[in-house]
Amino acid sequence: GLSAGDGGQQVFGAESCASECPKVLKDDVICTMDYSPKLCGCNDCEYSNSCWAATAGFAPAACRDKPRCPESSDFFFMSESDEMCSLLRFGCKVGQEPFFITGCGCGCKPKQ
C-alpha cells in the first residue's frame, strides 16, 4: 500500500503490486552509485543497489540480487523471459544443448 514519506511524499511499499515500478521519491536521501542490482517487489523492479530500493519504499526482504547473465556470443537466447521460457519448446543445433537461467532466459549453448 501507500504510506506518507518525509515531506508528505507518497512511497510505495513492497506489498504494492503496481504495473509500473515505484519511482525513487525521497529527495532527502543520498545513495552511493555502486552497482549491485536488486530486483524488488512482486514485479521485479530493478534498482542500482539496496539504498536506491529503500528510497522507493522497498524493505531489504522484498529484494533479491539480480542474477549475472552470460554475455558470451556462444549463448543463443530464445527468450529473456522466465515465463516465456516455460512455454517454449525448441531444439538446439548439433553440438549445442538447451539452457535455462532464472532471471536471464533460455536458449542454446555449446555442449560441455
Side-chain angles (χ1 to χ4, degrees):
L2 296 172
S3 62
D6 292 340
Q9 297 167 325
Q10 290 187 325
V11 177
F12 290 83
E15 71 280 357
S16 173
C17 212
S19 59
E20 293 183 22
C21 292
K23 304 290 186 267
V24 177
L25 299 172
K26 295 179 182 178
D27 55 4
D28 59 340
V29 176
I30 298 173
C31 291
T32 62
M33 298 303 292
D34 66 306
Y35 187 71
S36 60
K38 301 293 180 191
L39 299 176
C40 305
C42 52
N43 57 354
D44 282 345
C45 293
E46 184 176 339
Y47 297 95
S48 299
N49 57 47
S50 296
C51 179
W52 289 107
T55 66
F58 287 105
C63 304
R64 67 187 194 292
D65 290 335
K66 182 177 180 182
R68 297 225 181 259
C69 301
E71 295 180 15
S72 169
S73 60
D74 293 338
F75 282 75
F76 176 75
F77 283 85
M78 300 297 288
S79 176
E80 294 181 7
S81 162
D82 290 353
E83 182 179 348
M84 188 61 130
C85 285
S86 69
L87 302 173
L88 286 176
R89 301 276 184 247
F90 60 90
C92 296
K93 295 178 184 178
V94 173
Q96 294 182 331
E97 61 187 3
F99 72 88
F100 175 79
I101 303 170
T102 303
C104 293
C106 59
C108 297
K109 66 176 184 171
K111 282 188 177 179
Q112 295 185 5

